[in-house]
Amino acid sequence: MRQLVPNVYAVGAIDWDRRLFDELIPLPDGTSYNAYVVKGSEKTALLDTVDPTKTEVLIENLARADIGKIDYVVAHHGEQDHSGAIPDVLVLYPNAKVVTNAKCKATLIDLLHIDEEKFLTISDGQTMSLGDKALQFLDIPWVHWPETMGTYLQEDGILFPCDFFGSHLATSSLVVDDEAVVYEAAKRYYAEIMMPFRTAIRKNLEKIAKLNVEMIAPSHGPVYDKPGFIVDAYKDWVSDQVKNEVLLAYVSMHDSTRKMVEHFVDALIERDITVRQFNLTGADIGKLAISLVDTATIVLGSPTVLAGAHPQVAYAAILANALRPKAKFASIIGSYGWGGRMVEQLTGLISNLKVDVLEPVTAKGHARDDDFAALDRLADEILAKHRELGIAG
Ligand code: FEO
């Protein structure tokens, strides 16, 4: 338990050892489940709880903070890493009301079977007095679920935006102490969780710009005491601006695709295009997601396996398709033995992306001179497309 400002306490838990979120997202630096207590002169509110695995830590922190009573449990988001300990908190504080919007209430009833009578339903913009402090509730949908909301503590200028602006980073620092480290973690978090909702995030950024925010206290990672740093980063990530980069994700079984990748990467480098290359057999999917945030072009490289793409490449295509990066172009390179539908399959798997698919290059067996020449032409075309966007020299 630590004090953020007078009468505002951080009572969440650091999860140093967690290495996978949603059984999908790698957490190389662990994470935290941040919960906060706001103690007013008349009422006390707990903002979010923690993942159910860390309920005991939350309860110990509440005891240490000598809270006395909790009148309100504000639930910003139904996902269990923040809501999962609410039922236990309600047992300890039976008079507490769960304060949330109608959508989140329905989600919490579905996920946690909380009694309907326990809720106090609020609406967007509504203010709730705690005495000498007041909480203003703001719907901030799709960061990253439809019901997500935040709280603005007017007297202290603190915005509690739940997952929005968060980072999966286990650290003993309550506030950001190394912006470079937090930037990387926050970008990874954005890429994996927020990126599909760029349009909604833009609206939410406009909404919070109207507030006088002096501090952003998210539900994961450290608190931003200089909020301009993360707000500016988000503005960049959700913009339509792409970079002169090619993300090349590939697998090779017998070196045919690898030789094509090597030739192609050299051709791109000769054209002053930045390449982010991932061999998918051992790649950190989080780093691949980070590279998806800015890249102008995505190229998938695959051999042909049982008439289709290598399953690892298909997985990368499905992931990119789900994350919906702002890339403008895509292509496919690779090899085959006697036929197959690798290109058609991969093209179908990225149908969500608003990309022009540039002429794929496939080689029968080990690539020959004309295959390498086709790769050079693809590199030329990518350069020309990037020049049209004004991002290449
Ligand atoms: Fe951190 Fe969407 O829960």
Side-chain angles (χ1 to χ4, degrees), residues 347-362:
T347 307
L349 290 176
I350 57 171
S351 60
N352 278 348
L353 304 187
K354 293 178 178 152
V355 291
D356 289 342
V357 179
L358 309 179
E359 185 66 29
V361 179
T362 55

Side-chain angles (χ1 to χ4, degrees), residues 21 77 79 81-82 144-145 162-163 168 189 193 219-220:
F21 198 85
H77 179 29
E79 196 166 12
D81 53 323
H82 309 296
H144 57 121
W145 281 12
C162 201
D163 283 338
H168 282 312
Y189 187 88
I193 293 167
S219 295
H220 297 286

Side-chain angles (χ1 to χ4, degrees), residues 202-223:
R202 280 187 205 154
K203 288 185 188 149
N204 288 327
L205 286 172
E206 285 168 19
K207 192 166 187 173
I208 66 161
K210 295 173 185 151
L211 307 172
N212 179 26
V213 176
E214 293 172 24
M215 200 179 275
I216 292 178
S219 295
H220 297 286
V223 171

Side-chain angles (χ1 to χ4, degrees), residues 120-185:
L120 186 60
T121 308
I122 52 82
S123 54
D124 184 34
Q126 191 173 327
T127 297
M128 191 171 78
S129 174
L130 303 178
D132 58 350
K133 291 182 189 288
L135 306 178
Q136 184 183 9
F137 305 114
L138 304 162
D139 285 348
I140 44 173
W142 296 111
V143 286
H144 57 121
W145 281 12
E147 85 306 4
T148 312
M149 56 175 249
T151 294
Y152 178 56
L153 176 55
Q154 296 170 328
E155 286 70 20
D156 297 294
I158 305 175
L159 177 68
F160 301 91
C162 201
D163 283 338
F164 196 17
F165 302 118
S167 60
H168 282 312
L169 184 63
T171 169
S172 58
S173 301
L174 181 58
V175 298
V176 173
D177 65 350
D178 185 331
E179 286 194 351
V181 170
V182 177
Y183 180 92
E184 180 81 4

